[in-house]
Amino acid sequence: MNISIKLTREKTLLLLILFLALLLRAAWLDWGLPNRFRTSTLNCDEATALTCLQAMDPASLDFNPVSEKHPNALVEGTFNLYTYAAVLKAASYARLLVLVPDKDFYYDNPREMGKLYLAGKLLSVFYGLLTVAAVFVLAKKMFGPGAALTAALLTAMLPAHVVYSRYLLMNVPGLFWIVFSFIFLKNVMDGGRTRDYALAGLGFGLAAATRFSGAPLAIMLLPAHFMGPSRRGGIKKLLIAASVAFLAYATGAPYTFLDFPNFINGMRLLNYIASTGVSLSFSAKISFLAGSMTEAMGLPLLLAGLAGVVFAAARGKKNEALLLIWIALMTVFFLRAGQNALPGRILPAIPFIIILAAAALARMRAAWPRLAAAALLLTTLHLSVFNAAYLNLLSRRDIRDSASQWIEANIPAGSSFGLVREPSWSTPGLIDRKYRHPDHARLPDHSYVSLTAGEWASFAGYDLLARIRPDYVVFSSVEESQLPDRGLYRALEEAGYEEAAVFTSEFSLFGLGLSEKIPGMFYIPDHIKVFRKKSLSAE
């Protein structure tokens, strides 16, 4: 009877945690979708999936995402891309959205384009919930139900996981397959039936086919195997795991082999991205990684995670060792990446740090129950404040839309805009949409000029401002941060410009600001500013 009550309580708490995870990931999920002002979303990388799908020709059995528009499409795996395509096809059959090959249809009907993005975001939300459940299963197998519920709760509220579960990206789907693999690595370590080896291999293959950063998982089979009891047929089981991993990977990322030259080009680009921080000093790499970890986890959870890592290393048990090997392996890659070790890219290590933190709290609860309760309360309170402030931000209008509406209402047709960089996701959508589609009849007849003599798409600058002197200058905090110096405002004053409008975003709760800047992983500019020539206001 007591066992039955405990199981019912455990399932109820897990369901509540999953409901919380769903709420945090799905509330205002339509925020930032394309509308009459823009055809892009808040995250500049989300459009990549649609570009890849556009390159394919299913009728000819051509599922290669490489195109002239995206020649390096094989820089990542394609399994999640194919899953996304299947979701879109199913939704079109259900008449929930329209799938047509005509790109202009979506430019004329941006809300239909928004449905394409929303379908991909819902897929990420689904994987986010699966990840929370998988963390629970893994932590329970290793450290018991108490640690499992704590780990699931902390993962459900994890800042980076909440944020990236809302994006049409591969980060969260890839993370699920990593945690899935560890569930069966744990089984392998405990004795391992052939089925466990095969399912671990399935996880390896699909993780790597989703994101190539999951490829190091294959290494983890060896410590799991050799830390387990010695059994006959070990080599055979390892070969089965390797075979299943290869088949799963080849199914999810077939153009690794079918378009090998472009795969190699993608690997070169991936290696470049992963190694651009090599020139940084070791202390600078540590500092940057610490900053990313703090943004991804929040400081209290990060400190709890570090304490969990230390306690795990001191215990030296095989469960802890398996997780520590993976965390150490990932840390090597993160340090090599330098300033590219952003919150979304370091996700593969974080759930395992959380599991160790939960295990440490569970052991602390037996010896110092009040201290453990206080630590968990402080951590969850901090995570609650973060998530409440994040949802508060999403409940408000996107400043890119507010700026677009102001421009539409206050700036006459025929006016010229000066831009410090080519329009991007941080620009008011009205400007970006007109720039991309200058002949669109429904958009204001504004003209756009570059204020930099450098390559507009790559460099931000304003060295042509005094010579060109457009009617208006528009920029966001993103472009402003990319300028070679901080003299833009002085240059605007000297060229005869005045501030016309300012639109700001706030990461706050109950009117209290939590951070001077919006966290970078939100892809939301802190501000957008519009300047005009003083002569225009005089008129």
Side-chain angles (χ1 to χ4, degrees), residues 28-46 121 163 166-167 390 393-409 411 417 422-434 448 474-479 501-506 518-530:
W28 289 289
L29 192 62
D30 59 346
W31 190 92
L33 290 180
N35 55 30
R36 72 184 185 90
F37 291 126
R38 52 191 161 80
T39 54
S40 60
T41 60
L42 69 162
N43 188 316
C44 54
D45 292 329
E46 290 187 291
K121 289 172 178 288
V163 172
R166 304 172 67 93
Y167 293 149
Y390 180 46
L393 178 61
L394 297 183
S395 70
R396 301 181 179 185
R397 194 179 191 191
D398 186 346
I399 63 170
R400 286 160 290 196
D401 289 346
S402 298
S404 293
Q405 187 172 33
W406 185 91
I407 290 170
E408 184 180 56
I411 297 182
F417 284 83
E422 187 178 45
S424 67
W425 56 270
S426 63
T427 311
L430 193 67
I431 292 177
D432 181 60
R433 195 173 177 203
K434 180 65 176 179
Y448 305 104
V474 182
F475 57 89
S476 75
S477 57
V478 176
E479 290 93 22
V502 179
F503 307 89
T504 58
S505 300
E506 290 185 359
I518 303 294
M521 62 183 175
F522 290 179
Y523 289 86
I524 300 173
D526 295 302
H527 60 254
I528 292 175
K529 295 184 179 181
V530 182

Coordinates of all heavy atoms in Angstrom, one line a residue, residues 28-46 121 163 166-167 390 393-409 411 417 422-434 448 474-479 501-506 518-530:
W28 N 2.7 32.2 -25.0 CA 3.1 33.2 -26.0 C 4.1 32.7 -27.0 O 5.0 33.3 -27.4 CB 3.7 34.4 -25.3 CG 2.7 35.2 -24.5 CD1 1.7 36.0 -25.1 CD2 2.5 35.3 -23.1 NE1 0.9 36.6 -24.1 CE2 1.4 36.1 -22.9 CE3 3.2 34.7 -22.0 CZ2 1.0 36.4 -21.6 CZ3 2.7 35.0 -20.8 CH2 1.6 35.8 -20.5
L29 N 3.9 31.4 -27.4 CA 4.8 30.8 -28.4 C 4.7 31.5 -29.8 O 5.6 31.4 -30.6 CB 4.4 29.3 -28.6 CG 5.4 28.5 -29.3 CD1 6.8 28.4 -28.6 CD2 4.9 27.0 -29.5
D30 N 3.5 32.2 -30.0 CA 3.4 32.9 -31.3 C 4.0 34.3 -31.2 O 4.0 35.0 -32.2 CB 1.9 33.1 -31.6 CG 1.1 33.8 -30.5 OD1 1.7 34.0 -29.4 OD2 0.0 34.2 -30.7
W31 N 4.7 34.6 -30.1 CA 5.3 35.9 -30.0 C 6.5 36.0 -31.0 O 7.3 35.1 -31.1 CB 5.9 36.1 -28.6 CG 6.4 37.5 -28.3 CD1 5.7 38.6 -27.8 CD2 7.7 38.0 -28.6 NE1 6.5 39.7 -27.7 CE2 7.7 39.4 -28.1 CE3 8.9 37.5 -29.1 CZ2 8.9 40.2 -28.2 CZ3 10.0 38.3 -29.2 CH2 10.0 39.6 -28.7
G32 N 6.6 37.1 -31.8 CA 7.7 37.2 -32.7 C 7.5 36.5 -34.1 O 8.4 36.5 -34.9
L33 N 6.3 35.9 -34.3 CA 6.1 35.3 -35.6 C 5.9 36.3 -36.7 O 5.5 37.5 -36.4 CB 4.8 34.4 -35.5 CG 5.0 33.1 -34.7 CD1 3.6 32.3 -34.7 CD2 6.1 32.2 -35.2
P34 N 6.1 36.0 -37.9 CA 5.9 36.9 -39.0 C 4.4 37.5 -39.0 O 3.5 36.8 -38.7 CB 6.0 36.1 -40.3 CG 7.0 35.0 -39.8 CD 6.6 34.7 -38.4
N35 N 4.4 38.8 -39.4 CA 3.1 39.5 -39.4 C 3.2 40.5 -40.6 O 4.1 40.4 -41.4 CB 2.8 40.2 -38.1 CG 3.9 41.1 -37.6 OD1 4.6 41.7 -38.4 ND2 4.0 41.2 -36.3
R36 N 2.3 41.5 -40.6 CA 2.2 42.4 -41.7 C 3.5 43.3 -41.8 O 3.8 43.9 -42.8 CB 1.0 43.3 -41.7 CG 1.0 44.3 -40.6 CD -0.4 45.0 -40.6 NE -0.4 46.2 -39.7 CZ -0.1 47.4 -40.0 NH1 0.3 47.7 -41.2 NH2 -0.1 48.4 -39.1
F37 N 4.3 43.3 -40.7 CA 5.5 44.1 -40.7 C 6.7 43.4 -41.1 O 7.7 44.0 -41.6 CB 5.7 44.8 -39.3 CG 4.7 45.8 -38.9 CD1 4.0 45.7 -37.8 CD2 4.4 46.9 -39.8 CE1 3.1 46.6 -37.4 CE2 3.5 47.8 -39.4 CZ 2.8 47.7 -38.2
R38 N 6.7 42.1 -41.0 CA 7.9 41.3 -41.2 C 7.7 39.9 -41.6 O 6.6 39.3 -41.3 CB 8.8 41.3 -40.0 CG 8.1 40.9 -38.7 CD 9.0 41.2 -37.5 NE 8.2 41.3 -36.3 CZ 7.8 40.2 -35.6 NH1 8.1 39.0 -36.0 NH2 7.0 40.3 -34.5
T39 N 8.7 39.3 -42.2 CA 8.5 37.9 -42.6 C 9.6 37.0 -41.9 O 9.7 35.8 -42.2 CB 8.8 37.7 -44.1 OG1 10.0 38.3 -44.5 CG2 7.6 38.4 -44.9
S40 N 10.3 37.6 -40.9 CA 11.3 36.8 -40.2 C 10.8 36.7 -38.7 O 9.9 37.3 -38.3 CB 12.7 37.5 -40.2 OG 12.6 38.8 -39.7
T41 N 11.6 35.8 -37.9 CA 11.2 35.7 -36.5 C 12.3 36.3 -35.7 O 13.3 36.9 -36.2 CB 11.1 34.2 -36.2 OG1 12.4 33.5 -36.4 CG2 10.0 33.5 -37.0
L42 N 12.2 36.2 -34.3 CA 13.1 36.8 -33.4 C 14.5 36.2 -33.5 O 15.5 36.9 -33.2 CB 12.6 36.8 -32.0 CG 12.5 35.5 -31.3 CD1 12.4 35.8 -29.8 CD2 11.3 34.7 -31.7
N43 N 14.6 34.9 -33.8 CA 15.9 34.3 -33.9 C 16.4 34.2 -35.3 O 15.7 33.5 -36.2 CB 15.8 32.9 -33.3 CG 17.2 32.3 -33.1 OD1 18.0 32.3 -34.0 ND2 17.4 31.6 -32.0
C44 N 17.5 34.8 -35.7 CA 17.9 34.9 -37.0 C 18.2 33.5 -37.7 O 18.3 33.4 -38.9 CB 19.1 35.8 -37.1 SG 20.5 35.3 -36.0
D45 N 18.5 32.5 -36.8 CA 18.8 31.2 -37.4 C 17.6 30.3 -37.7 O 17.8 29.3 -38.4 CB 19.7 30.4 -36.4 CG 21.1 31.1 -36.2 OD1 21.6 31.6 -37.2 OD2 21.6 31.0 -35.1
E46 N 16.4 30.7 -37.3 CA 15.3 29.9 -37.5 C 14.9 29.8 -39.0 O 14.3 28.8 -39.4 CB 14.1 30.4 -36.7 CG 14.2 30.3 -35.2 CD 13.0 30.7 -34.5 OE1 12.6 31.9 -34.4 OE2 12.3 29.8 -33.9
K121 N 8.4 25.3 -34.0 CA 8.5 25.6 -32.6 C 7.8 24.6 -31.7 O 8.3 24.2 -30.6 CB 8.0 27.0 -32.3 CG 8.8 28.2 -32.9 CD 8.1 29.5 -32.8 CE 8.9 30.7 -33.3 NZ 10.1 31.0 -32.4
V163 N 14.2 28.7 -23.1 CA 14.3 29.6 -24.2 C 14.5 28.8 -25.5 O 13.8 29.1 -26.5 CB 15.5 30.6 -24.0 CG1 15.7 31.4 -25.2 CG2 15.2 31.5 -22.8
R166 N 11.7 27.0 -27.4 CA 10.8 27.8 -28.2 C 11.3 28.2 -29.6 O 10.6 28.9 -30.3 CB 10.5 29.1 -27.4 CG 10.0 28.9 -25.9 CD 10.0 30.1 -25.1 NE 8.9 31.0 -25.6 CZ 7.7 31.1 -25.2 NH1 7.3 30.3 -24.2 NH2 6.8 31.9 -25.7
Y167 N 12.5 27.7 -29.9 CA 13.0 28.1 -31.2 C 13.0 26.9 -32.2 O 13.1 25.7 -31.8 CB 14.5 28.4 -31.1 CG 14.8 29.7 -30.3 CD1 15.9 29.9 -29.6 CD2 13.9 30.8 -30.3 CE1 16.2 31.0 -28.9 CE2 14.1 31.9 -29.6 CZ 15.3 32.1 -28.9 OH 15.5 33.2 -28.2
Y390 N 10.8 36.5 -18.1 CA 10.9 36.2 -19.5 C 9.5 36.2 -20.1 O 9.2 36.8 -21.2 CB 11.5 34.8 -19.7 CG 11.7 34.3 -21.1 CD1 12.1 35.2 -22.1 CD2 11.3 33.0 -21.4 CE1 12.2 34.7 -23.4 CE2 11.4 32.6 -22.7 CZ 11.9 33.4 -23.7 OH 12.0 33.0 -25.0
L393 N 8.2 39.6 -20.5 CA 8.7 40.3 -21.7 C 8.0 39.8 -23.0 O 7.6 40.6 -23.8 CB 10.2 39.9 -21.9 CG 11.0 40.4 -23.1 CD1 11.0 42.0 -23.1 CD2 12.4 39.9 -23.1
L394 N 7.6 38.5 -23.0 CA 6.9 38.0 -24.2 C 5.5 38.4 -24.2 O 4.8 38.4 -25.3 CB 7.0 36.5 -24.2 CG 8.4 35.9 -24.3 CD1 8.3 34.3 -24.4 CD2 9.2 36.4 -25.5
S395 N 4.9 38.8 -23.1 CA 3.5 39.2 -23.0 C 3.4 40.7 -23.6 O 2.2 41.1 -23.8 CB 3.0 39.2 -21.6 OG 3.6 40.2 -20.8
R396 N 4.5 41.3 -23.8 CA 4.4 42.7 -24.3 C 4.7 42.7 -25.8 O 5.3 41.8 -26.3 CB 5.4 43.6 -23.6 CG 5.2 43.6 -22.1 CD 6.2 44.5 -21.4 NE 5.9 44.6 -20.0 CZ 6.6 45.4 -19.1 NH1 7.5 46.2 -19.6 NH2 6.3 45.4 -17.8
R397 N 4.4 43.8 -26.4 CA 4.6 43.9 -27.9 C 6.1 44.0 -28.2 O 6.8 44.6 -27.5 CB 3.9 45.1 -28.4 CG 3.7 45.1 -29.9 CD 3.0 46.3 -30.4 NE 2.7 46.2 -31.8 CZ 2.2 47.1 -32.6 NH1 2.1 48.4 -32.1 NH2 2.0 46.9 -33.9
D398 N 6.4 43.3 -29.3 CA 7.8 43.3 -29.8 C 8.2 44.7 -30.2 O 7.4 45.3 -31.0 CB 7.9 42.3 -31.0 CG 9.4 42.2 -31.4 OD1 10.2 43.0 -31.1 OD2 9.6 41.2 -32.2
I399 N 9.3 45.3 -29.7 CA 9.6 46.7 -30.1 C 9.9 46.8 -31.6 O 9.8 47.9 -32.1 CB 10.8 47.2 -29.3 CG1 12.1 46.4 -29.5 CG2 10.5 47.2 -27.8 CD1 13.3 47.0 -28.9
R400 N 10.2 45.7 -32.3 CA 10.4 45.8 -33.7 C 9.1 46.1 -34.4 O 9.0 46.9 -35.4 CB 11.0 44.5 -34.2 CG 12.5 44.4 -33.9 CD 13.0 43.0 -33.9 NE 12.5 42.2 -32.8 CZ 13.0 41.0 -32.5 NH1 14.0 40.5 -33.1 NH2 12.4 40.3 -31.5
D401 N 8.0 45.6 -33.9 CA 6.7 45.9 -34.4 C 6.3 47.3 -34.0 O 5.7 48.0 -34.8 CB 5.6 44.9 -33.9 CG 5.8 43.5 -34.5 OD1 6.5 43.4 -35.5 OD2 5.2 42.6 -34.0
S402 N 6.6 47.7 -32.8 CA 6.2 49.1 -32.3 C 7.0 50.1 -33.2 O 6.4 51.1 -33.6 CB 6.6 49.2 -30.8 OG 5.8 48.4 -30.0
A403 N 8.2 49.8 -33.4 CA 9.0 50.8 -34.3 C 8.5 50.8 -35.7 O 8.4 51.9 -36.3 CB 10.5 50.4 -34.3
S404 N 8.1 49.6 -36.2 CA 7.5 49.6 -37.6 C 6.3 50.4 -37.7 O 6.0 51.1 -38.6 CB 7.3 48.1 -38.0 OG 8.5 47.4 -38.1
Q405 N 5.4 50.2 -36.7 CA 4.1 51.0 -36.7 C 4.4 52.5 -36.6 O 3.7 53.3 -37.3 CB 3.2 50.5 -35.6 CG 1.8 51.1 -35.6 CD 0.9 50.5 -34.6 OE1 1.3 50.1 -33.5 NE2 -0.4 50.4 -34.9
W406 N 5.3 52.9 -35.8 CA 5.6 54.3 -35.7 C 6.2 54.9 -37.0 O 5.8 56.0 -37.4 CB 6.7 54.5 -34.6 CG 7.0 56.0 -34.3 CD1 6.3 56.8 -33.4 CD2 7.9 56.8 -35.0 NE1 6.8 58.1 -33.5 CE2 7.8 58.1 -34.4 CE3 8.9 56.6 -36.0 CZ2 8.6 59.2 -34.8 CZ3 9.7 57.6 -36.4 CH2 9.6 58.9 -35.8
I407 N 7.1 54.1 -37.6 CA 7.6 54.5 -38.9 C 6.5 54.7 -40.0 O 6.4 55.6 -40.7 CB 8.7 53.5 -39.4 CG1 9.9 53.6 -38.5 CG2 9.0 53.8 -40.9 CD1 10.9 52.5 -38.7
E408 N 5.6 53.7 -40.0 CA 4.5 53.7 -40.9 C 3.6 54.9 -40.7 O 3.1 55.5 -41.7 CB 3.7 52.4 -40.8 CG 2.6 52.2 -41.8 CD 1.8 50.9 -41.5 OE1 1.3 50.7 -40.4 OE2 1.7 50.1 -42.5
A409 N 3.4 55.3 -39.5 CA 2.5 56.4 -39.2 C 3.1 57.8 -39.3 O 2.4 58.8 -39.5 CB 1.9 56.2 -37.8
I411 N 6.5 58.6 -40.8 CA 7.5 59.0 -41.8 C 6.9 58.9 -43.2 O 6.4 57.8 -43.6 CB 8.7 58.0 -41.7 CG1 9.4 58.2 -40.3 CG2 9.7 58.3 -42.8 CD1 10.6 57.4 -40.1
F417 N 16.3 56.2 -45.5 CA 16.8 55.7 -44.3 C 18.3 55.4 -44.4 O 18.7 54.7 -45.4 CB 16.1 54.5 -43.8 CG 14.7 54.7 -43.3 CD1 13.6 54.9 -44.1 CD2 14.5 54.8 -41.9 CE1 12.3 55.1 -43.6 CE2 13.2 55.1 -41.4 CZ 12.1 55.2 -42.3
E422 N 23.4 46.2 -43.0 CA 22.3 45.6 -43.7 C 21.2 45.1 -42.8 O 21.5 44.5 -41.8 CB 22.8 44.4 -44.6 CG 21.8 43.9 -45.5 CD 22.4 42.7 -46.4 OE1 23.0 41.9 -45.8 OE2 22.1 42.7 -47.6
P423 N 19.9 45.4 -43.1 CA 18.8 45.0 -42.2 C 18.9 43.5 -41.8 O 19.3 42.7 -42.6 CB 17.6 45.3 -43.1 CG 18.0 46.3 -44.0 CD 19.4 46.0 -44.3
S424 N 18.5 43.3 -40.6 CA 18.6 41.9 -40.0 C 17.4 41.7 -39.1 O 16.5 42.5 -39.0 CB 19.9 41.7 -39.3 OG 20.0 42.5 -38.1
W425 N 17.5 40.6 -38.3 CA 16.4 40.2 -37.4 C 16.2 41.3 -36.3 O 15.1 41.4 -35.8 CB 16.7 38.9 -36.7 CG 18.0 38.9 -36.0 CD1 19.3 38.5 -36.5 CD2 18.3 39.3 -34.7 NE1 20.2 38.7 -35.6 CE2 19.7 39.1 -34.5 CE3 17.5 39.8 -33.6 CZ2 20.3 39.4 -33.2 CZ3 18.1 40.0 -32.4 CH2 19.5 39.9 -32.2
S426 N 17.2 42.1 -36.0 CA 17.0 43.1 -35.0 C 16.5 44.4 -35.5 O 16.1 45.3 -34.7 CB 18.4 43.4 -34.3 OG 19.3 43.9 -35.2
T427 N 16.3 44.6 -36.8 CA 15.8 45.8 -37.4 C 14.3 45.8 -37.4 O 13.7 44.8 -37.3 CB 16.3 45.8 -38.9 OG1 17.6 45.5 -39.0 CG2 16.0 47.2 -39.5
P428 N 13.7 47.0 -37.3 CA 12.2 47.1 -37.5 C 11.8 46.3 -38.7 O 12.4 46.5 -39.8 CB 12.0 48.6 -37.6 CG 13.1 49.2 -36.9 CD 14.3 48.4 -37.1
G429 N 10.8 45.4 -38.5 CA 10.5 44.5 -39.6 C 10.1 45.2 -40.9 O 10.3 44.7 -42.0
L430 N 9.4 46.4 -40.8 CA 9.0 47.1 -42.0 C 10.2 47.4 -42.9 O 10.1 47.4 -44.1 CB 8.3 48.4 -41.5 CG 7.5 49.1 -42.6 CD1 6.3 48.3 -43.0 CD2 7.0 50.5 -42.1
I431 N 11.3 47.8 -42.2 CA 12.5 48.1 -43.0 C 13.1 46.9 -43.6 O 13.4 46.9 -44.8 CB 13.5 48.8 -42.1 CG1 13.0 50.2 -41.7 CG2 14.9 48.9 -42.8 CD1 13.9 50.9 -40.7
D432 N 13.2 45.8 -42.8 CA 13.8 44.6 -43.4 C 13.0 44.0 -44.5 O 13.5 43.6 -45.5 CB 13.9 43.6 -42.2 CG 14.5 42.3 -42.7 OD1 15.6 42.3 -43.2 OD2 13.8 41.2 -42.6
R433 N 11.6 44.1 -44.4 CA 10.8 43.5 -45.4 C 10.9 44.3 -46.7 O 10.9 43.7 -47.8 CB 9.3 43.5 -44.9 CG 8.4 42.6 -45.7 CD 7.1 42.4 -45.1 NE 6.2 41.7 -45.9 CZ 4.9 41.7 -45.9 NH1 4.3 42.5 -45.1 NH2 4.2 41.0 -46.7
K434 N 10.9 45.6 -46.6 CA 11.0 46.5 -47.8 C 12.3 46.3 -48.4 O 12.4 46.3 -49.7 CB 10.7 47.9 -47.4 CG 10.8 48.9 -48.6 CD 9.7 48.7 -49.6 CE 9.8 49.7 -50.7 NZ 8.7 49.5 -51.7
Y448 N 16.6 52.8 -48.8 CA 17.6 52.5 -47.8 C 19.0 52.6 -48.3 O 19.3 52.1 -49.4 CB 17.3 51.1 -47.2 CG 15.9 51.0 -46.7 CD1 14.9 50.3 -47.5 CD2 15.5 51.6 -45.5 CE1 13.6 50.2 -47.0 CE2 14.2 51.5 -45.1 CZ 13.3 50.8 -45.8 OH 12.0 50.7 -45.4
V474 N 18.3 54.8 -38.6 CA 17.6 53.8 -37.7 C 18.6 52.7 -37.3 O 19.4 52.2 -38.2 CB 16.4 53.1 -38.4 CG1 15.7 52.2 -37.4 CG2 15.4 54.2 -38.8
F475 N 18.7 52.4 -36.1 CA 19.6 51.3 -35.6 C 19.1 50.7 -34.3 O 18.4 51.4 -33.6 CB 21.1 51.8 -35.5 CG 21.2 53.0 -34.5 CD1 21.4 52.7 -33.2 CD2 21.1 54.3 -35.0 CE1 21.5 53.8 -32.3 CE2 21.2 55.3 -34.1 CZ 21.4 55.1 -32.7
S476 N 19.5 49.5 -34.1 CA 19.2 48.8 -32.8 C 20.4 48.7 -32.0 O 21.5 48.9 -32.4 CB 18.5 47.4 -33.1 OG 19.6 46.5 -33.5
S477 N 20.2 48.2 -30.8 CA 21.4 48.0 -29.9 C 22.3 46.9 -30.4 O 23.5 46.9 -30.1 CB 20.9 47.5 -28.5 OG 20.0 46.4 -28.6
V478 N 21.8 46.0 -31.2 CA 22.6 44.9 -31.8 C 23.6 45.6 -32.8 O 24.8 45.3 -32.7 CB 21.8 43.9 -32.5 CG1 22.6 42.9 -33.2 CG2 20.8 43.2 -31.6
E479 N 23.1 46.4 -33.7 CA 24.1 47.0 -34.7 C 25.0 48.0 -33.9 O 26.2 48.1 -34.3 CB 23.3 47.8 -35.8 CG 22.6 47.0 -36.8 CD 21.1 46.7 -36.4 OE1 20.6 47.5 -35.6 OE2 20.6 45.7 -36.8
A501 N 12.6 59.0 -32.1 CA 11.8 58.0 -31.3 C 12.7 57.0 -30.8 O 13.8 56.6 -31.4 CB 10.8 57.4 -32.3
V502 N 12.4 56.4 -29.6 CA 13.1 55.4 -29.0 C 12.2 54.3 -28.5 O 11.1 54.6 -27.9 CB 13.9 55.9 -27.7 CG1 14.7 54.7 -27.1 CG2 14.9 57.0 -28.2
F503 N 12.5 53.0 -28.7 CA 11.7 51.9 -28.3 C 12.6 51.0 -27.5 O 13.7 50.6 -28.0 CB 11.1 51.2 -29.5 CG 10.4 52.1 -30.5 CD1 11.1 52.8 -31.5 CD2 9.0 52.4 -30.3 CE1 10.4 53.6 -32.3 CE2 8.4 53.2 -31.1 CZ 9.0 53.9 -32.2
T504 N 12.2 50.6 -26.3 CA 13.0 49.8 -25.4 C 12.4 48.6 -25.0 O 11.1 48.5 -24.8 CB 13.4 50.7 -24.2 OG1 12.3 51.1 -23.5 CG2 14.2 51.9 -24.6
S505 N 13.2 47.5 -24.7 CA 12.7 46.3 -24.1 C 13.3 46.2 -22.7 O 14.4 46.7 -22.4 CB 13.3 45.1 -24.9 OG 12.8 45.1 -26.2
E506 N 12.5 45.6 -21.8 CA 12.9 45.5 -20.4 C 12.8 44.1 -19.9 O 11.7 43.5 -20.1 CB 12.1 46.4 -19.5 CG 12.4 47.9 -19.7 CD 11.6 48.8 -18.7 OE1 10.9 48.2 -17.9 OE2 11.8 50.0 -18.7
I518 N 19.2 42.9 -22.2 CA 18.4 41.7 -22.5 C 19.3 40.5 -22.7 O 20.3 40.7 -23.5 CB 17.5 41.9 -23.7 CG1 16.6 43.1 -23.5 CG2 16.7 40.6 -24.0 CD1 15.5 43.0 -22.4
P519 N 19.2 39.4 -22.0 CA 20.1 38.2 -22.3 C 20.2 37.9 -23.8 O 19.2 37.9 -24.5 CB 19.4 37.1 -21.5 CG 18.7 37.8 -20.4 CD 18.2 39.1 -21.0
G520 N 21.4 37.7 -24.2 CA 21.6 37.5 -25.6 C 20.9 36.3 -26.2 O 20.5 36.3 -27.4
M521 N 20.6 35.3 -25.4 CA 19.9 34.1 -26.0 C 18.4 34.4 -26.3 O 17.8 33.6 -27.0 CB 20.0 32.9 -25.0 CG 19.4 33.1 -23.7 SD 19.6 31.6 -22.6 CE 18.9 32.2 -21.1
F522 N 17.9 35.6 -25.9 CA 16.5 36.0 -26.3 C 16.4 36.5 -27.7 O 15.4 36.5 -28.3 CB 16.0 37.1 -25.3 CG 15.8 36.6 -23.9 CD1 15.4 37.6 -23.0 CD2 16.0 35.3 -23.5 CE1 15.1 37.2 -21.7 CE2 15.8 35.0 -22.2 CZ 15.3 35.9 -21.3
Y523 N 17.5 36.9 -28.3 CA 17.5 37.5 -29.6 C 16.6 38.7 -29.7 O 15.9 38.9 -30.7 CB 17.2 36.5 -30.7 CG 18.3 35.5 -30.9 CD1 18.4 34.4 -30.1 CD2 19.3 35.7 -31.9 CE1 19.5 33.5 -30.3 CE2 20.4 34.8 -32.0 CZ 20.4 33.7 -31.2 OH 21.5 32.8 -31.4
I524 N 16.5 39.5 -28.6 CA 15.6 40.7 -28.6 C 16.5 41.9 -28.4 O 17.3 41.9 -27.4 CB 14.6 40.6 -27.5 CG1 13.7 39.3 -27.7 CG2 13.8 41.8 -27.4 CD1 12.8 39.1 -26.5
P525 N 16.5 42.9 -29.2 CA 17.3 44.1 -29.0 C 16.9 44.8 -27.8 O 15.7 44.9 -27.4 CB 17.1 44.9 -30.3 CG 15.8 44.4 -30.8 CD 15.7 43.0 -30.5
D526 N 17.9 45.5 -27.1 CA 17.6 46.3 -25.9 C 16.8 47.5 -26.3 O 15.9 48.0 -25.6 CB 18.8 46.7 -25.2 CG 19.6 45.5 -24.7 OD1 19.0 44.8 -23.8 OD2 20.8 45.4 -25.0
H527 N 17.1 48.1 -27.5 CA 16.5 49.3 -27.9 C 16.6 49.4 -29.4 O 17.4 48.8 -30.1 CB 17.0 50.6 -27.2 CG 18.5 50.8 -27.5 ND1 19.5 50.5 -26.5 CD2 19.2 51.2 -28.6 CE1 20.6 50.8 -27.0 NE2 20.5 51.2 -28.3
I528 N 15.7 50.2 -30.0 CA 15.7 50.6 -31.4 C 15.5 52.2 -31.4 O 14.6 52.7 -30.7 CB 14.6 50.0 -32.2 CG1 14.8 48.5 -32.4 CG2 14.5 50.6 -33.6 CD1 13.7 47.7 -33.1
K529 N 16.4 52.9 -32.1 CA 16.4 54.3 -32.1 C 16.2 54.9 -33.5 O 16.8 54.3 -34.4 CB 17.6 54.9 -31.4 CG 17.7 54.6 -29.9 CD 18.9 55.2 -29.3 CE 19.0 54.9 -27.8 NZ 20.1 55.5 -27.1
V530 N 15.4 55.9 -33.6 CA 15.2 56.6 -34.9 C 15.7 58.0 -34.8 O 15.2 58.7 -33.9 CB 13.7 56.6 -35.3 CG1 13.6 57.2 -36.7 CG2 13.2 55.1 -35.4

